[in-house]
Structures are given as C-alpha cells and as structure tokens.
Amino acid sequence: MKKLIVGIILLSLLFTGGCIERQALENRAGEELKTKDYEVTMKRDLLCLMMAYPQDMTGVEVGKDSLVYVVMKSGKRIVYDDKKTKSFDGKLNNADLQDMLEQQYPLTDIQKLMDENTDPGRARVYGLLKEVYGGTKEQIEENLKSVSAGGKNVVFNKNNGASTALAGAMKEIAALAQRKPSIYPFVYPVNGTYNYRVIAGTNQLSPHAFGTAVDLKRDDRDYWKWVSREEGQKRLDMYPREVVQIFENHGFVWGGKWSHFDILHYEYRPELILKAKYFSESPNLQKPWYDGVDYTDDRIKAYIEAIERVLQ
C-alpha cells in the first residue's frame, strides 16, 4: 500500500512539474510574441513618420539610454517611446510618438460616436509640431499662407504641404457643393483656421495655434463640451461623409472620429492617415514588417533601409 501511495505521489509531482514547465514555456513564448509585435509596430510608426515629414526628419537612432529617437533636421532628437506608464490624460498631456500613434485612426466610416477615450489624433507631440511648423508665435506666423475657402481667404501653415493640402480639399469641396448644394450648411462659412490659443481647459497649444487645423461652419451640437452624446450622435448621423472623405484624402483627420467629438474640426495629421492607409491591420509576423507599402518606391525603400540599419 505504501509503495502505491509513493508511486501516486511521484506521478503527481512529475505531472505538476510538467504543467509548470509547460506554462513557463507558454508564458515565455507569449512574451516573445508581444515583444516582436511591439518591434514591428514601432518600425511601422517610424516609417509613417518619415513618410509624413520627409523634409524635417533625417533619421532614426538609439540613444545611450537605449531609447529610440527620430532625428530632426535641426538636430533635435524626439523620443519614440519614453517607457513611462501613463493614464489616458497623461498621454494627452505628455505624449511621446508612440502615444501619438497608438490609437488607430479609422479610414472607414463610423455609424456611432467612438467608444470612451478613443480619440485618435488628440495626443500630440509638441516637440514635433514646433520643429515642423514653428517654435514660436512669430515663427508660425511667418509660415502662414493664404488659402481660398468658400469665397473668403483663411491662413494656414505652408510647411510640410499643409496649406497645399487645405487648398486641395477646399477646392474639391467647392466642386462638390456645386453638384450637391445640401452640403453648404455643413461647410460654409468656414469658422476658422489659425488662432494662437491654448485648448480650452488646458495649458497646451491648440493645433489652430500652429495653423494646421480648420473648423468648418459651427453647429451647437458639434463639440463634446457643448452637448450630450445623444445630441452629438444626432449631428454625426446627418453629417455629409463626402466632406470627411475629401479631407482624409488630403491628410486630415476628422474630430468626428473622437469620443470627445469635435465634428466641425479637421486637423492636418499625415502620419495618422498614412498609418491608417498602410498598417490598419495587426502585424502579420510571417511577413516583412513593412508589408503593405510600395517597397519599389525609392524614397520609401530608403526609409525602410534606414530603420533596418538602426533597429536590427
């Protein structure tokens, strides 16, 4: 009887030990997969940034602190991921590049307001904006260019093709309005572009302060602080999606695709549109990390190779 009990105990120990070892292997494999997924996402984000800001970013490097940085034309280095744990508000108040690109902007249409705290585009890296569009009010204003918008002129930042993008979008919308007059009340008159101010309730500059955002005709149901979500949903339901598509085609994100909705607001954010266009799906680790972009394009190929050299 004792031999039987001892045998059972030994079998039990062997089984338990095997389960623990198998669980440890599975945990290790899961961590390795998570690490690989993070590395692929980082490379994709860096590629989108280099494609979005070709005249301002010169490369990527790993610092002495082992963090990854993008290098700007001025020599300034901007960290990709500071490795700090942040709340939703923390990411808005002190975003790094990873935070800025973390939430996927949807290029597909949405039928209802975004889920709570889903605001792709509201996290902004001010070091990047200042490098590209101007570091002071005076520098920004030197970069402003007049753009025709519905029978009046507005000003927009000319750097990185922003004013050209707005001019293209407004031209297409004007043509659309001629064919479809029902969009007029949603667009004209344009409410505003450049305005050197902070975001209400914060000490952070608005994208309007950089001349990179445009508000179309105001409606009292357009903004999450003005009305309930129910009223915001009603406004979303009636909003002409052709206008949204035109702006997105020119590199703008729409504030209607934020849970903290801002339906009259469009913001020039080519990095988010590029990520949505090329990397909307989770990484397929069986394919190259850059799968989806045109690798035959010499410029894009050079960016990929630059990233590969630094991040083996």
Side-chain angles (χ1 to χ4, degrees):
M1 188 65 176
K2 289 183 179 180
K3 290 182 178 179
L4 178 60
I5 293 171
V6 170
I8 291 171
I9 292 172
L10 289 172
L11 285 172
S12 177
L13 289 171
L14 286 170
F15 178 77
T16 302
C19 287
I20 292 172
E21 185 177 353
R22 184 168 64 252
Q23 185 63 52
L25 289 171
E26 289 175 356
N27 290 343
R28 193 178 306 125
E31 287 300 316
E32 289 175 356
L33 190 63
K34 189 184 297 184
T35 299
K36 183 66 174 176
D37 189 86
Y38 172 85
E39 291 172 351
V40 168
T41 299
M42 176 171 59
K43 289 179 179 180
R44 287 176 163 190
D45 287 353
L46 294 170
L47 178 58
C48 289
L49 287 164
M50 295 180 81
M51 290 192 294
Y53 301 99
Q55 296 177 355
D56 296 282
M57 289 188 180
T58 60
V60 176
E61 68 177 40
V62 178
K64 293 180 180 179
D65 54 8
S66 298
L67 298 180
V68 175
Y69 294 82
V70 296
V71 183
M72 307 302 293
K73 181 173 61 176
S74 68
K76 181 180 175 65
R77 297 152 71 247
I78 301 176
V79 68
Y80 170 72
D81 183 358
D82 59 21
K83 302 293 185 179
K84 295 178 182 177
T85 300
K86 302 170 191 170
S87 65
F88 173 77
D89 287 336
K91 291 179 181 181
L92 292 183
N93 295 330
N94 189 28
D96 56 31
L97 295 171
Q98 190 272 333
D99 297 328
M100 184 178 76
L101 287 158
E102 183 177 31
Q103 292 191 343
Q104 185 75 45
Y105 182 83
L107 282 180
T108 53
D109 188 25
I110 60 168
Q111 298 301 313
K112 64 184 184 68
L113 291 174
M114 301 289 272
D115 293 337
E116 183 179 6
N117 291 345
T118 303
D119 294 334
R122 282 187 72 218
R124 305 173 184 96
V125 174
Y126 285 88
L128 173 63
L129 294 177
K130 290 179 179 181
E131 285 289 308
V132 176
Y133 300 111
T136 65
K137 180 180 180 182
E138 292 72 24
Q139 290 172 353
I140 291 167
E141 291 184 347
E142 287 177 2
N143 294 329
L144 297 178
K145 182 178 179 180
S146 180
V147 175
S148 177
K152 71 175 185 178
N153 289 330
V154 297
V155 291
F156 216 66
N157 204 302
K158 71 179 187 298
N159 289 5
N160 199 44
S163 63
T164 300
L166 178 63
M170 296 309 302
K171 183 177 180 179
E172 284 189 42
I173 288 170
L176 174 65
Q178 288 187 331
R179 302 191 305 271
K180 191 176 180 180
S182 61
I183 76 156
Y184 265 90
F186 295 91
V187 179
Y188 305 119
V190 171
N191 193 51
T193 52
Y194 172 69
N195 183 2
Y196 198 83
R197 62 174 175 82
V198 297
I199 300 168
T202 77
N203 61 0
Q204 293 183 315
L205 286 174
S206 162
H208 289 281
F210 292 95
T212 58
V214 56
D215 289 344
L216 301 187
K217 184 179 179 181
R218 171 177 167 153
D219 184 280
D220 288 341
R221 297 165 294 174
D222 278 336
Y223 190 49
W224 67 279
K225 286 188 174 181
W226 299 340
V227 293
S228 66
R229 283 182 66 85
E230 289 75 18
E231 288 300 309
Q233 180 65 52
K234 291 176 183 177
R235 177 66 170 166
L236 183 78
D237 290 340
M238 66 170 57
Y239 200 85
R241 297 306 198 266
E242 301 99 321
V243 173
V244 177
Q245 291 169 0
I246 288 171
F247 270 104
E248 289 176 343
N249 288 342
H250 287 274
F252 290 79
V253 299
W254 178 40
K257 291 181 177 179
W258 297 342
S259 65
H260 296 83
F261 56 90
D262 196 354
I263 294 172
L264 77 167
H265 178 88
Y266 293 88
E267 187 173 332
Y268 187 61
R269 298 294 294 280
E271 73 281 6
L272 290 169
I273 296 298
L274 286 167
K275 184 170 182 178
K277 180 179 178 180
Y278 293 118
F279 301 127
S280 60
E281 302 295 329
S282 298
N284 182 341
L285 301 182
Q286 304 304 313
K287 295 182 178 181
W289 62 267
Y290 48 82
D291 182 58
V293 300
D294 182 7
Y295 187 70
T296 63
D297 182 294
D298 289 340
R299 182 172 60 92
I300 294 175
K301 185 177 180 180
Y303 296 152
I304 292 170
E305 290 174 348
I307 293 168
E308 292 272 59
R309 280 195 300 272
V310 175
L311 305 175
Q312 297 291 339

